Amino acid sequence: GTAFSTTDADHLLNVPASGMSAFPDAPGDFMAWRRRLAPGLAQPYEFAPRRDYARYLDHTLAEALAAAPGVTLTHVRRTAVAVHRRSGSLELELDDGSGLRGDALVVGTGLPAPSADWAPEALRSSDRFIEDPWRGGALERIAAATGDVLVVGAGLTMVDVVTTIARDHGRTVHAISRSGLLPHRHASAPLDPVVPDTSAWGRDLACLVTRVRHHLALAAELTGDGVDLGLRGLQLHHDDHVGLMLPSDQKSRRAPASSKRALSASQCGR
C-alpha cells in the first residue's frame, strides 16, 4: 500500500510491531521476522519503520509462492476500465485495450487517491501546492524547499511531513485538522486487548454496528490507547454472531459488564 512505499527509516508504523502481521491467527509473525533479522534489537512495543513492514510483506508473499507449486503471480501495471462476462469466464479490460481472463475476480483497490476539491483553483494551480504528498518525489520537494509548511490534515501523513522536514531546523509546520483533533498518543507500555461480552449483542446488523461502536469507545476510555485494543479484543473473541475466536489460554482485560455506559438489551434487540 501507499503508506508502506516510503523508504524513509523515520516514517514509522502507527501501531506497535507486535500488533502487525499478515496472518490473523499469528499476530506475532512480523515481530518474529524482525527478530530473525536483528536478534536482541527488535522489541515488540516499538514503532518500526514502515519500510520494514513492506519488506516483511514482500518476504511473506515470496514464501507463499515458493510453497505453492504451479501458482504464478504476474503484476500488470495498468488501469482496469471494465469487466465483461465471456462464456463462463471473466475478462478484465485494461486502459491500453488489452484484456485479462480469469475464473474469478477480486477487487482490492485500496484507499482512494486524496482529493483537493476543497482547494480553490488559484491554490491548486500553484507550484507550491502538493495535492498528493505520496506521489513520487513529493516529500523530497517539501524537504528541499524553504519556508514554513501548511498541512491540511493531522493524521499519519502530517507526522510524516513533520518528520521529513524536521531535519531542517528553523522551519514551522502548521497542521489544520478537519475534526479539530490531534492523533491520540499510544500507551507507554503494552496493554491487554479489551475483549467484549457479546452474549446480548443480538443478530441484527444495525444492533451489531451499535454494539461494536460502543465497545470501541469504551475500550478507548478504559485504556487511553484509542480503539486499537478494542479492535484486537474483537479479533480475539469468538462468538456466533461475530465469527472471531478467543484462544482458551488468552488472558485479556474484559470490559466490565456493569459499566455505566453499557447498553441494555432493550436498546439493541436479539
Side-chain angles (χ1 to χ4, degrees), residues 20-157:
M20 298 291 292
S21 174
F23 306 103
D25 57 347
D29 194 60
F30 174 54
M31 192 64 244
W33 178 83
R34 295 197 75 226
R35 280 181 167 166
R36 289 196 296 271
L37 296 182
L41 296 180
Q43 299 299 319
Y45 204 68
E46 69 177 323
F47 295 86
R50 295 206 300 276
R51 68 179 188 183
D52 283 4
Y53 195 71
R55 293 170 57 206
Y56 159 74
L57 293 178
D58 285 342
H59 173 82
T60 301
L61 178 59
E63 279 195 334
L65 291 173
V71 176
T72 59
L73 174 67
T74 303
H75 188 183
V76 180
R77 295 180 178 270
R78 305 300 313 180
T79 299
V81 296
V83 180
H84 307 284
R85 292 187 179 275
R86 307 291 191 199
S87 61
S89 65
L90 296 170
E91 182 178 4
L92 190 65
E93 181 182 344
L94 305 181
D95 60 346
D96 63 351
S98 64
L100 297 170
R101 284 205 175 195
D103 297 320
L105 173 67
V106 177
V107 179
T109 56
L111 296 174
S115 171
D117 293 344
W118 53 269
E121 177 58 32
L123 177 58
R124 292 201 302 269
S125 61
S126 170
D127 59 2
R128 299 179 65 84
F129 179 73
I130 297 177
E131 179 175 347
D132 182 2
W134 290 112
R135 185 171 296 170
L139 288 177
E140 288 75 10
R141 278 181 57 197
I142 299 174
T146 58
D148 297 342
V149 177
L150 174 65
V151 180
V152 178
L156 182 59
T157 298

Side-chain angles (χ1 to χ4, degrees), residues 195-203 207-208 211-212 215 233-234 237-244 254-255 270:
V195 181
D197 176 5
T198 63
S199 59
W201 277 24
R203 295 181 179 273
C207 170
L208 291 175
R211 293 288 189 177
V212 168
H215 165 70
L234 287 172
H237 188 70
H238 173 71
D239 183 84
D240 291 339
H241 311 167
V242 183
L244 302 174
R254 293 183 177 273
R270 294 181 181 275

